[in-house]
Amino acid sequence: MSKFGTLVMGPAGAGKTTFCSALIQHLRNNKRACYYINLDPAAEEFAYEPDLDIKDLISLDDVMEEMGLGPNGGLIYCFEFLVENLDFLTEALDPLTDEYMIIIDMPGQIELYTHIPVIPRLTSFLGQSGALNIRLCATYLLESTFVVDRAKFFAGTLSAMSAMLLLEIPHVNVLSKMDLVKGQVPKREFKRFIDPDASLLDEQDGRRAAEHGASDVVGPTLAGDEDGDPTSKENFMGGGGFKKLNRAVAGLIDEFSMVSFLQLDVQDEDSVGAILSYIDDAIQFHEAQEPREPMDEVMDDNMGDRDDDE
């Protein structure tokens, strides 16, 4: 029997825990069972108390104090410890039926998803080829305010693509916090970020040239001439080398053509429901569910009322 779940991932501040809370509320509103796992050993505040918390196994504060490690090194140690003690997950998840949606809230350190093999080991254990036979997909959140700075947006998109290549599980990529960009980016222009278009960088450079004058963009300083100060922030972030790097990143994303985004506003339940429908499709949740008669739901409600009375 398969189980079903999603890893909620993304950079720090992308709104992962907030999305988990909104998803749990939506599932409850639609009378669907869910099981919430927190795998961020530094997280402390939750709208819904996790059913399973990595801090019951190991905490980041203890690791940093006892091992003398910094936050990133301590986090990696916590995950290495977790994969050496996977019974912690097995004992909790093994009894769950296929009616549950397992929501796994992950930390925001990007290196975990890009070039360290610890998360692939975890997903391999949890996945269909592993002991628990969970059909997993990753829900990768990227903050929608990144679209204001296009170089930053393409860097974030590259991190999403890196996670897709490293984990080798279905991915649902999401632009979160849509309420923060309303009015800042026209809807027609925003659609071009849904399927990242490398030409967006060239357009941004053209606009800057129009605003500051062509000499500011192609002059000696920003072109990387020796007369300019290469250590200044203006030259470093706007120089020819930085632009070449951004174009190379955008070209790589365009060449692979793997990443596209959905839009999320957690304050809109329809938006949360739309993301859930894509997750369900990715893990084939509904295909595994047995058909239910209308009376089944009535009996479930009656059983719930009886439990409340007891």
Side-chain angles (χ1 to χ4, degrees):
M1 178 184 67
S2 295
K3 299 177 176 63
F4 302 90
T6 183
L7 295 168
V8 180
M9 312 186 313
K16 297 181 293 297
T17 300
T18 302
F19 170 66
C20 288
S21 300
L23 185 58
I24 291 169
Q25 184 60 57
H26 181 80
L27 289 166
R28 290 184 175 182
N29 290 344
N30 288 274
K31 300 180 181 178
R32 282 181 58 177
C34 61
Y35 193 88
Y36 181 32
I37 302 174
N38 171 53
L39 289 187
D40 184 353
E44 296 180 353
E45 297 182 3
F46 306 94
Y48 294 96
E49 194 67 23
D51 298 296
L52 185 67
D53 194 335
I54 191 175
K55 293 196 296 295
D56 294 333
L57 176 69
I58 187 170
S59 75
L60 181 59
D61 289 340
D62 291 343
V63 169
M64 292 172 61
E65 181 178 349
E66 295 179 14
M67 306 292 294
L69 297 172
N72 288 347
L75 185 68
I76 293 171
Y77 181 90
C78 289
F79 268 83
E80 290 175 342
F81 187 82
L82 174 64
V83 297
E84 295 298 328
N85 295 271
L86 289 170
D87 288 346
F88 174 74
L89 295 174
T90 304
E91 293 174 1
L93 297 177
D94 193 52
L96 299 182
T97 67
D98 61 358
E99 294 183 348
Y100 280 82
M101 172 63 75
I102 301 168
I103 302 169
I104 306 175
D105 193 356
M106 302 290 287
Q109 276 68 14
I110 293 299
E111 57 266 32
L112 288 173
Y113 316 123
T114 55
H115 58 276
I116 295 176
V118 64
I119 301 299
R121 289 175 61 189
L122 177 64
T123 57
S124 178
F125 174 81
L126 295 174
Q128 288 186 276
S129 60
L132 290 170
N133 193 26
I134 301 175
R135 294 186 185 177
L136 277 175
C137 85
T139 304
Y140 195 97
L141 270 61
L142 189 68
E143 192 173 338
S144 61
T145 54
F146 280 22
V147 304
V148 177
D149 184 343
R150 297 181 181 182
K152 191 175 182 180
F153 168 76
F154 279 103
T157 302
L158 180 63
S159 71
M161 189 177 78
S162 298
M164 295 174 75
L165 295 171
L166 183 70
L167 299 185
E168 298 182 336
I169 60 176
H171 264 65
V172 176
N173 296 303
V174 178
L175 288 175
S176 62
K177 303 184 181 181
M178 285 298 300
D179 54 305
L180 299 182
V181 296
K182 289 180 179 178
Q184 294 190 44
V185 181
K187 289 184 178 180
R188 180 176 297 179
E189 182 177 339
F190 193 88
K191 290 180 180 179
R192 298 179 62 194
F193 291 92
I194 301 303
D195 293 297
D197 183 353
S199 65
L200 287 166
L201 283 174
D202 295 326
E203 291 181 9
Q204 187 174 53
D205 291 341
R207 289 178 183 175
R208 287 176 177 171
E211 291 174 1
H212 301 290
S215 61
D216 291 337
V217 178
V218 299
T221 300
L222 296 186
D225 192 277
E226 293 181 357
D227 293 337
D229 179 8
T231 63
S232 71
K233 181 179 178 181
E234 180 182 1
N235 292 346
F236 179 76
M237 299 300 289
F242 186 67
K243 292 177 182 178
K244 289 179 181 179
L245 175 62
N246 290 333
R247 290 194 182 97
V249 169
L252 184 66
I253 292 167
D254 190 53
E255 182 179 350
F256 274 81
S257 192
M258 293 176 60
V259 183
S260 61
F261 290 99
L262 303 173
Q263 302 176 54
L264 171 66
D265 180 356
V266 293
Q267 299 176 6
D268 182 354
E269 188 167 353
D270 290 339
S271 179
V272 177
I275 302 297
L276 177 60
S277 69
Y278 279 90
I279 294 173
D280 286 339
D281 288 345
I283 59 179
Q284 298 179 314
F285 175 81
H286 292 297
E287 293 181 16
Q289 304 305 304
E290 294 183 2
R292 292 173 63 87
E293 298 293 337
M295 285 304 297
D296 292 340
E297 297 184 3
V298 175
M299 292 178 64
D300 288 345
D301 290 341
N302 291 338
M303 289 296 293
D305 294 339
R306 188 179 306 171
D307 292 340
D308 293 340
D309 292 340
E310 292 176 357

